[in-house]
Amino acid sequence: ARTCAVLGEDSGNFFFEGVGDNAARIAREAQLELTVHERIRVSPPDVAHMRRAVGWVIGNRTETVVVAMRGSFFQVFAEMAREAQEEHAFRGVWSTHIPCAGRKGDAEAACAHMAGG
């Protein structure tokens, strides 16, 4: 991969903020082009910002993405990635949690897409 995006939290949570910021730092040190690095407010949830950021990631045709956010925000990412699969597919997605465990319906389909199903 040559390009990477990082979507992280703006929450005051040192874990999620630290994972996001350090993933961006590591990507730059590895000489990957960092197409998007966004910190998205989770309380109150700024879903509109998340949707814009995912749109930028897809629009930039980013190869790999790190989602250092909680489940509901990962779900927004997964659903948008599935909707855009004809336009762009990621080579790799890394998340700070197991985003697909126990999902049903549309959420299950979005997760299956992320896992290659």
Side-chain angles (χ1 to χ4, degrees):
R2 294 177 306 267
T3 59
C4 181
V6 177
L7 304 174
E9 287 191 5
D10 179 6
S11 62
N13 180 304
F14 294 130
F15 174 74
F16 288 107
E17 288 183 358
V19 169
D21 291 345
N22 280 295
R25 178 186 56 78
I26 291 166
R28 284 189 299 271
E29 288 175 0
Q31 299 182 343
L32 294 173
E33 177 188 347
L34 191 60
T35 60
V36 175
H37 177 207
E38 290 290 310
R39 274 184 157 196
I40 299 157
R41 188 182 69 237
V42 297
S43 184
D46 192 347
V47 177
H49 183 187
M50 180 65 172
R51 289 190 174 283
R52 283 191 310 275
V54 174
W56 299 329
V57 172
I58 292 167
N60 285 322
R61 305 185 70 74
T62 304
E63 295 171 284
T64 59
V65 65
V66 174
V67 183
M69 302 188 76
R70 298 164 213 225
S72 60
F73 282 91
F74 183 87
Q75 197 57 45
V76 170
F77 170 80
E79 289 168 3
M80 289 182 70
R82 182 169 180 241
E83 291 167 6
Q85 67 185 335
E86 296 296 321
E87 176 187 345
H88 178 65
F90 298 103
R91 290 183 66 190
V93 176
W94 187 89
S95 178
T96 51
H97 63 290
I98 302 170
C100 297
R103 302 288 183 191
K104 300 293 179 209
D106 290 341
E108 182 180 32
C111 282
H113 167 70
M114 301 304 285

